Amino acid sequence: MQPSAVPELAHTHARPIHWVATATALSGVVALSSVLGPDAATAAPTPGPQTKSAPAHIAPPDPASVEFPLDCGPVKTVVKKKASGDLDGDGRPETVAVVHCDAPMGTPPDGVYVITQAAGSTAPRVVATLADPQDRTNVDDFAVRDGEVTATLLGYSSEDVPSCCPDVRERVKWRWEDGAFVRSAPAGARSV
């Protein structure tokens, strides 16, 4: 091995004073950035052109106090997922709930229901069924955004496919149009 022609440099060996100087400089930068940092953000999101924002004092309907149109026999219903938003543009929020029977075994199919509560009413109620449990689908991704309900439905290509193993995946969305929820799917949204 050939010895180095350059003598060892003093700055290649860190001494305690180097660490103290680095720590002091770093703490100075942090302290200065907190004093000179930007002001707190004050902007508030604004609703899009197609949606109205519900007044802050109106709470969305609670799915726990609704009787869903499901025949579960001796077991109860379970609200698997829920999301709220103003779907019909009336300024009052609706709640969309993904619900199934609390079956002790297997994969019970999901129903997707829209719940509303009229002004002055104390009881919320189901006003629309977007996905019926009789269709044997389960809901994977689910959201309420910009007046639309979007979901990924997992289903079956035939009656021969066991209910444990859905083999069809379909992205769908529902939007309130002319007094009803209209279902659509983006191009190429179904896969087997």
Side-chain angles (χ1 to χ4, degrees), residues 7 14 34 43 66 77-78 88 100 106-107 114-115 123 136 139 156 158 170 173 186:
S34 67
V66 173
T77 59
V78 174
D88 58 3
H100 63 248
T107 307
V114 178
I115 305 163
R136 291 183 64 214
V139 176
Y156 308 91
S158 74
E170 182 179 15
K173 68 179 178 177

Side-chain angles (χ1 to χ4, degrees), residues 1-9:
M1 181 184 252
Q2 183 176 3
S4 173
V6 179
E8 289 204 30
L9 302 174

